[in-house]
Amino acid sequence: MATVDKKEYVVRTKDLVKEFTMGGQTLRALKGIQLDIYKGEYISIMGPSGSGKSTLFNMVGGLDKPTDGTVFINDVDMAQLDAQELAFLRCRTIGYIFQSFNLIPVMTALENVTLPMVFAGLSQDECNERGMELLNMVGLGDRYHHKPTELSGGQQQRVACAWALANAPSIILADEPTGNLDLKTGKEIIDLLKKLNKENNVTIIPATHDLKMLDISDRIVWIRDGYVERIEERADVQLQVGVMENEEH
Amino acid sequence: MSTTSANKTTVGRQAQLPLGRAFKISMNSLRIRFWRSMVTAGGIFLGIAFLATVLTQWLMQWPVAPKVDAGFIRLDGQINGPGDYDVYKPVPVEAGVQAGIPEEVIKRVQLKDGNNFSLTEIIQGQLQEKRAVRNLARVKKEWQSLSKYEKDLPLYVDILGGKDIKIGDAVKAGVPKAIVAKAVVHGETIEWARLFKELQRTGKPDSITLATALNKDITPAQAISAGIPKDLVDAVMAVPREIEDEEESEDSGPPPPKPGAFRGTLLAKVLDENPDFWTEFRYVNNLRKVLPVYADMAAEKDIRVEEAVKAGLPRKVAEKMASQYPTFKGADLIDIFREQTDGIKPIYLATALDQDITIKDAVRADIPIAIAKKLAGSGKAFKGSSLNDLIKDHPRWIKIWTARVSRNAIFDTAPQAAIDKLAKSYSISLKEALDEGKGPDAKSANLGNLMIVNADGRKVKVNLNREPALAAATPLVSGDYVFIPDINSFYRMWWLVGMSLLVCMVGITNSMLMAVTERFKEIGTMKCLGALDSFVVLLLVLESSLLGICASGLGWLLGFVSMVLLAGFTKGWDVVATMNPWLVLGSLGVCVVAGMVLTLVATILPAMQAARMPAAMALRSEI
Ligand SMILES: Nc1ncnc2c1ncn2[C@@H]1O[C@H](COP(=O)(O)OP(=O)(O)OP(=O)(O)O)[C@@H](O)[C@H]1O
Ligand SMILES: [Mg+2]
């Protein structure tokens, strides 16, 4: 903990509250989340289904507005940003990976990957060059002209990883990136994320049920019912993971 | 929070994408969703096609003027229905005399007031005279060839009608004697009516048979005293009255039998139907032979001479009748014609046999081709009977046209120069014509789009709303056709266009709404990747306006071409040629702009809704 203290924060949330109102009924999905995430950290968000992981993820990624509390990205209050600044943030600072990939079905892999670069204002040639680079990195260089429907789930998620990396973001938010994948492909994605984390010093924030994630996380945030239940260092969970994995097999 | 404002500067602002990039992306999107886009485009296409037909029709200078008689103008449309009016004002008698119109002519066309005369009537009179001369010549010429048939055709039409024909008439009409003789033998019958008269006159057969023939009443006592067995009489009396009534209603002549009596024909009927009643009585046996003949008479059939004699009519009487009235049925002659056609013209034969006469045959038989064609109508042949009708008409027409020629001959004496001179100075102006023709509906006349069509086909559009002074300054000439459109039909047309565009817009909005909701997830993703709200709107708007332009351009083409073809084939290509090419281009512009506006209005709301939605929500939606 002591070593991490010296690092700068990338994401901080303060008393983050999110309420959903449906038919007069108010549902508190987040009940005051306090979370500090350091630069270059691999921090998994764990919790049972319905605990509010995706909701937190959306708040942090600037995809939705919190009911109360603040989210700071690189010490900037998200609530203070106007639409253009928010778009800038989404485009260059944060990369998103979704459980259901969310690739644009009508575009080829390359077109999908280059889309964020187009929004970042890169020229077509730069886009194509960097897009191919990224696709090669995720091992799909030869499939660039395939549409998402022509790719397997793991391949799609790898395209999505390349997508998230397009504009060299400092944060990657991944909402259950392995949720729709089998063990082996899930592992590949996890390895890819870890590689990015190590080599590019990208902050990786996956929300997940996948215990394999625990193995490589620097820290694990346990969320239950919209509260941060506990935050564990990797060393603390090492043992537990072994036990759980044994149970699984 | 104090750090926030200072740090804000570290976040850049996302720039709007260049239009070229956006354009490329939307083109791509359209290409990929080709069929869905085509459905949306189809809605615009049809709506604009309708608008284009209306616009095109509007650009063409309808209507096609009908021919208006010399000396008249016709006001048509929303003024008082189509109506013809004198194009010339009343001309003072002195002016006419001065111009050189003979006084007798003026007298003929003098108006009631006595001081003026009608120039139109002189012109009409001249025209009528010319027409009458022409027609008389034509009818006379036709008659030269037709009169040959005047005598004969009626006979053959009679044959066709199955009427009785006198031998003398047939021979006179050219039917060979041998054929006539054959026909008479063939039809050797006595007509019931004559036989009747004969029976009444001579009174020779006994009273019962006579009563039967005359359909008179017989009392049972009378019958028994005449030797008819009692059980037979009883049987006749037992026949229900209804049956008798039925017999009667067919006859429809005599009143119902008196109570206690029966009709003579009933006796014949009962005898016929009940052979068991035949007894050994001599008289009844006699009746058996005789009664059917008399029953036939009552039924108005023809009876053979031999049968009549057998039934008791004195041979002398029967033969006298047959020779005194030597007639035969037309139908018999037809049968013989069929077997033996020597010496009869095919045209007569065709008439007699009620066959069609082709135009070619008719012409070969000397019937003028004009007449043959007229009788045949749209077909190639006609029936002999219609030729007969026409022949009956011809002498009447000759009389009529002769009378018209002599009646109008006087107008020929008016010199043309004089008429022209008067026509120039006494023709009415457009304003006078409009005042004259003003009816109760005149209020809804669209004076802004008035059209004058000259007798030679020249068309002039006048806008009296903009230049009211033109009305008094525009002189009309003989044969002018003035069309005043209906302002309501104008509004109605635009209302229709408006409604159809509205319906079209609702359709497009619907399909645009679907297109946008279908892409919520895609839009959410794009926003995650850094797309601005305005970019999302731009993308959708670009997409739909591309569709709008193409679809409305094609829609215009469809509407324009179909209207042009329709007008060309139904009203003539000269109507199509009246369109101003610049205005045609303008209509294309109007259509394209209308199509764009429609699609933009339909798109902008769903697009804004999609763009404003938080990215998280858009991502969650599954469509
Ligand atoms: N848009 C929304 N409208 C209403 N309720 C919502 C909405 N989004 C989330 N919720 C509610 O908030 C709670 C937290 O949901 P969330 O999706 O964050 O859970 P999660 O931890 O991601 O679960 P899972 O592991 O199944 O993805 C749930 O009870 C959910 O019903
Ligand atoms: Mg979730």
Side-chain angles (χ1 to χ4, degrees), chain A residues 50 52-55 99 175-176 207 209:
Chain A
K53 298 186 297 294
S54 299
T55 312
Q99 175 180 0
D175 191 4
E176 303 193 30
H209 299 290

Side-chain angles (χ1 to χ4, degrees), chain A residues 70-83:
Chain A
T70 12
V71 177
F72 296 96
I73 303 276
N74 293 329
D75 285 331
V76 178
D77 181 359
M78 291 261 263
Q80 301 293 317
L81 300 181
D82 65 16

Side-chain angles (χ1 to χ4, degrees), chain B residues 440-491:
Chain B
D441 290 340
K443 268 202 283 313
S444 59
N446 181 6
L447 293 178
N449 197 20
L450 204 107
M451 194 188 326
I452 303 173
V453 186
N454 291 131
D456 57 10
R458 225 161 10 92
K459 295 174 180 180
V460 190
K461 265 195 174 180
V462 186
N463 184 345
L464 289 186
N465 288 342
R466 209 186 305 144
E467 291 164 283
L470 264 185
T474 309
L476 295 177
V477 293
S478 158
D480 273 357
Y481 172 80
V482 182
F483 182 75
I484 305 117
D486 174 6
I487 195 105
N488 291 328
S489 79
F490 179 81
Y491 292 141

Side-chain angles (χ1 to χ4, degrees), chain A residues 18-22 27-30 47-58 64 99 175-176 207-209 223, chain B residues 616-617 620:
Chain A
K18 178 66 182 179
E19 285 173 354
F20 294 107
T21 316
M22 298 159 295
L27 186 127
R28 270 192 147 208
L30 298 180
S49 188
S51 56
K53 298 186 297 294
S54 299
T55 312
L56 175 63
F57 177 97
N58 286 340
D64 208 347
Q99 175 180 0
D175 191 4
E176 303 193 30
T208 185
H209 299 290
I223 291 191
Chain B
M617 200 137 96
R620 285 168 69 91

Side-chain angles (χ1 to χ4, degrees), chain B residues 72-75 85-88 423-424 426-434 450-454 471-482:
Chain B
F72 289 102
I73 51 155
R74 181 167 302 170
L75 296 180
Y85 297 91
D86 274 13
V87 68
Y88 306 116
K424 210 170 242 172
Y426 286 94
S427 68
I428 61 173
S429 71
L430 178 57
K431 182 177 177 345
E432 282 161 326
L434 289 178
L450 204 107
M451 194 188 326
I452 303 173
V453 186
N454 291 131
T474 309
L476 295 177
V477 293
S478 158
D480 273 357
Y481 172 80
V482 182

